[in-house]
Amino acid sequence: MALVALILIAVLVGLALNLYSAEKLFIGALVALLVSEVLTPAELLKGFANPGIFTIAALFVVVGGLRDSGATQVLRRYLIGSPKSRRSAQLRVLPVTTLLSAVVNNTPVVAMFVTLLQSQAKRFNLRLSSILLPVSYASILGGTCTLIGTSTNLVVDGMLQQSGLEGFGLFELAWVGVPLAVVGLLYMLLFSHCLLPDRDGSAEQFDQVREYLVEMVIQPGSELVRKSIQDAGMRNLPGLFLVEIEREGQIISAVRPRTVMEAGDRLVFAGSPESVLELRNIHGLVLADDQRFKLDAARSDRRLFEAVLSPSNPMVGKTIRESRFRHRYSAVVLSVSRHGERLSGKVGDLTLCEGDTLLIEAQKGFLMRYRSSSDFLLVSKLGTPADTDESRAWLALFTFIAMLVVSGTGLLSILESSVIAAVAMMMTRCISYEEAGKSIDYPVLLVIACAYALGLAVAKVGLAEQIANGVLTLVDSPYMALIALYLATVALTEMMTNNAAAIVMLPICLSTAESLGVSYEPFAIVVMIAASASFLTPTGYQTNLMVMGPGGYRFMDYVKFGAPLSLMVAIISWIIIPLVWPFNPGL
């Protein structure tokens, strides 16, 4: 018991301090449990047989089919249109985000709306900081409405079934999820304008949401050679500012309008990434390649992309030079933005963190190759939107709706219907076999399987029972135990992944229910809701981290805007859950 407690604490500390990625920490825990013989090999591999894992894998493919077929774009066009103001964007986007997230994985939904809102922000001067975080929170609330709304619900349901207990229906969680979603949406619509920051700069100056440093070199024969800054039109570039000129190792920091440029000068610009497109149109002005990593492709084949690093990216914690970014992705990092602010210094020497937004130059196939990669939370093309073939969009939508109908009516289990839908997506070419494989987030599945083994060990050695007894010494009723376990799950999910928090807490909740002699159902529902209710930190939920860079958010923005929402979700859950799922059914 002491050894398992030590392993559990080590994993929690490692996740809280971001020492290693989640999958590395849980694999380490798995090895420790095997070597110490706490679990047998058969018990250790039980997590990989969890029905929830296969359901999640199949749903990744189904959602990939919706994306690749253009179905998500069709939904966006018909349900959202083109909002032209902050209020219009919130009224249109937030309810639709909640609705889609109830039946589709949150991540692609949020990625779709981030890309949409970025393009609308340029056209109508919308402030992204007032809308992107509510989009993430709306997707979280939508995920609480159905069993397939989030992978956490499927994992908990699968664990219950493996334990010989009855699971939940597809729409059973709507009893608590829908009220949470309605109240949450009202809160965000009413208070986002006064609780969220206003960091959207003017069109003439920097784009404060994503501000970068970009270095360009004047080649011999360029139209800029022997011209002054003013005569060359470099003084009033839209969205750009000439910070300094480096000439033969000397820095000219106070660049005057009459400063004459020479061949070989390195011009350092600060500004929005889209403005780099204008710089590349100037004859003889090229991107600095002392990096760092000159691309082999012809210039006409290169494109600019923006990518947000995921926590599982192997480059996190390393410098760009150490991570061999060019070799790994066949791409060049031009600049890095963190929390809405550019990072100064040599690009190759910058140490990367999860949530960093990278300005990348790569071949035009970069988006197709890495938009489904677990290395990035978000990959978007700058300049012009990516073209999507929508010829199979309605076929993909029909397949998806059929999956919901047959699983919702009980004709097939969620696992069976999702696997059939995934196969149908591939057979009808809504998604290719190659893209289907890429769309599955394998690190997430690995964390779930390893965390299941840790949860099994917590129950097997009696640690879950000990913790449950400790909880019962502090509270004197099932209702108070429910509240205490809810708070413990929320605290865990802010430190570790929501799936891992649910897997660790479920055995404790089941032991508590057994000790009290009451139904397990309200405690299982509490785990599902509390593990998803991550509104306080950017790292507690993947979509929160996804919007951090594009929205220019800082840590305290999540606390300020998320704390009231987290409290409301908790109170509503404490009221509704015991009413819908009584502690003593039949009395």
Side-chain angles (χ1 to χ4, degrees):
M1 188 184 301
L3 178 62
V4 172
L6 187 63
I7 293 172
L8 181 59
I9 292 171
V11 170
L12 292 177
V13 171
L15 289 169
L17 299 180
N18 199 26
L19 298 178
Y20 298 98
S21 63
E23 60 266 28
K24 289 180 181 178
L25 288 168
F26 279 102
I27 289 175
L30 203 71
V31 172
L33 293 172
L34 178 63
V35 172
S36 61
E37 298 183 350
V38 173
L39 295 178
T40 65
E43 291 172 330
L44 207 69
L45 297 175
K46 255 190 173 182
F48 293 91
N50 188 308
I53 287 185
F54 293 95
T55 305
I56 293 166
L59 288 174
F60 275 133
V61 176
V62 172
V63 172
L66 292 174
R67 180 200 62 221
D68 287 6
S69 66
T72 53
Q73 295 301 323
V74 169
L75 288 174
R76 191 270 302 166
R77 191 163 56 247
Y78 281 100
L79 296 178
I80 301 297
S82 298
K84 299 178 178 60
S85 66
R86 178 187 63 83
R87 176 57 64 181
S88 174
Q90 289 182 334
L91 288 173
R92 295 187 188 189
V93 172
L94 296 187
V96 174
T97 300
T98 301
L99 182 64
L100 290 179
S101 295
V103 291
V104 177
N105 184 278
N106 301 18
T107 304
V109 173
V110 174
M112 175 179 67
F113 285 124
V114 168
T115 304
L116 165 69
L117 291 167
Q118 283 177 326
S119 64
Q120 294 298 108
K122 301 186 195 91
R123 291 173 58 192
F124 302 110
N125 199 27
L126 299 178
R127 290 173 173 81
L128 292 176
S129 59
S130 67
I131 181 65
L132 290 188
L133 190 55
V135 166
S136 176
Y137 288 174
S139 74
I140 294 173
L141 292 170
T144 64
C145 294
T146 68
L147 196 59
I148 63 172
T150 176
S151 58
T152 305
N153 298 346
L154 288 169
V155 169
V156 171
D157 188 71
M159 290 180 67
L160 291 175
Q161 293 182 37
Q162 280 190 321
S163 301
L165 300 173
E166 187 177 349
F168 297 97
L170 178 61
F171 298 108
E172 192 171 347
L173 270 69
W175 288 105
V176 62
V178 170
L180 291 178
V182 171
V183 172
L185 288 175
L186 288 175
Y187 162 75
M188 290 186 286
L189 290 171
L190 293 174
F191 297 101
S192 60
H193 70 284
C194 59
L195 292 178
L196 286 174
D198 182 5
R199 299 199 182 107
D200 193 7
S202 65
E204 294 76 21
Q205 297 297 322
F206 297 131
D207 180 357
Q208 298 290 349
V209 175
R210 299 179 318 281
E211 185 182 334
Y212 297 92
L213 283 181
V214 180
E215 300 180 8
M216 311 291 288
V217 175
I218 301 176
Q219 292 184 321
S222 168
E223 64 183 80
L224 300 178
V225 174
R226 303 301 303 166
K227 282 189 178 181
S228 69
I229 298 295
Q230 184 170 339
D231 292 342
M234 307 294 285
R235 195 68 178 172
N236 298 307
L237 291 170
L240 281 174
F241 174 72
L242 181 58
V243 177
E244 62 186 29
I245 297 177
E246 181 182 340
R247 179 177 299 166
E248 298 178 353
Q250 301 295 318
I251 302 297
I252 305 173
S253 56
V255 183
R256 299 179 180 276
R258 297 191 179 276
T259 300
V260 176
M261 294 175 285
E262 300 286 353
D265 281 358
R266 181 188 298 268
L267 310 183
V268 181
F269 295 91
S272 62
E274 293 82 359
S275 302
V276 178
L277 295 169
E278 299 299 325
L279 290 177
R280 292 176 54 188
N281 292 331
I282 299 175
H283 174 66
L285 187 64
V286 299
L287 291 166
D289 60 1
D290 54 328
Q291 36 221 98
R292 311 161 302 235
F293 326 127
K294 186 175 180 180
L295 288 179
D296 297 328
R299 178 168 297 277
S300 60
D301 291 332
R302 302 181 193 179
R303 300 290 186 272
L304 289 176
F305 303 92
E306 196 172 39
V308 179
L309 290 183
S310 76
S312 60
N313 193 301
M315 298 186 302
V316 171
K318 299 179 181 178
T319 66
I320 295 174
R321 195 184 310 278
E322 291 171 345
S323 64
R324 302 182 67 199
F325 188 92
R326 181 230 178 244
H327 177 77
R328 186 186 298 271
Y329 299 109
S330 297
V332 175
V333 177
L334 303 180
S335 286
V336 180
S337 175
R338 182 174 299 159
H339 303 176
E341 298 178 354
R342 61 178 171 81
L343 299 183
S344 58
K346 288 184 179 284
V347 174
D349 296 331
L350 296 176
T351 300
L352 298 174
C353 297
E354 61 182 48
D356 281 354
T357 306
L358 310 182
L359 177 63
I360 295 171
E361 184 182 52
Q363 297 180 44
K364 55 187 178 182
F366 183 85
L367 177 64
M368 293 297 293
R369 287 197 303 273
Y370 294 108
R371 66 180 177 182
S372 301
S373 171
S374 60
D375 288 356
F376 302 103
L377 296 175
L378 175 71
V379 178
S380 57
K381 181 181 176 183
L382 296 178
T384 57
D387 296 327
T388 303
D389 181 10
E390 298 181 357
S391 59
R392 293 182 172 84
W394 293 107
L395 183 59
L397 281 173
F398 173 79
T399 302
F400 178 68
I401 293 171
M403 181 196 76
L404 294 179
V405 170
V406 297
S407 59
T409 55
L411 295 176
L412 294 174
S413 69
I414 295 174
L415 173 60
E416 293 167 335
S417 61
S418 60
V419 169
I420 292 173
V423 172
M425 288 286 189
M426 290 185 285
M427 292 184 66
T428 56
R429 297 183 182 178
C430 293
I431 186 172
S432 67
Y433 290 99
E434 182 182 1
E435 285 298 314
K438 290 180 180 178
S439 66
I440 299 174
D441 196 338
Y442 295 102
V444 168
L445 302 183
L446 185 61
V447 167
I448 292 171
C450 295
Y452 180 87
L454 183 57
L456 184 63
V458 168
K460 181 179 179 180
V461 300
L463 183 60
E465 187 178 352
Q466 283 288 100
I467 297 175
N469 291 335
V471 170
L472 295 179
T473 60
L474 301 175
V475 297
D476 56 0
S477 68
Y479 185 72
M480 294 306 297
L482 193 79
I483 293 176
L485 292 171
Y486 180 99
L487 295 175
T489 307
V490 168
L492 272 186
T493 201
E494 298 294 357
M495 291 190 293
M496 58 200 302
T497 66
N498 51 322
N499 287 320
I503 291 168
V504 171
M505 287 301 299
L506 185 63
I508 298 171
C509 289
L510 294 180
S511 294
T512 303
E514 185 178 356
S515 299
L516 290 168
V518 297
S519 171
Y520 67 91
E521 288 186 341
F523 292 92
I525 296 293
V526 154
V527 171
M528 291 181 179
I529 300 299
S532 295
S534 177
F535 306 109
L536 299 176
T537 66
T539 55
Y541 208 90
Q542 185 163 274
T543 57
N544 289 350
L545 191 61
M546 183 187 296
V547 301
M548 191 177 191
Y553 298 113
R554 298 183 176 92
F555 183 89
M556 287 308 298
D557 296 328
Y558 291 82
V559 177
K560 182 179 178 181
F561 188 60
L565 180 59
S566 184
L567 181 60
M568 284 188 289
V569 168
I571 293 173
I572 294 171
S573 299
W574 298 341
I575 294 172
I576 294 179
I577 291 175
L579 294 177
V580 179
W581 297 274
F583 292 113
N584 296 296
L587 292 182

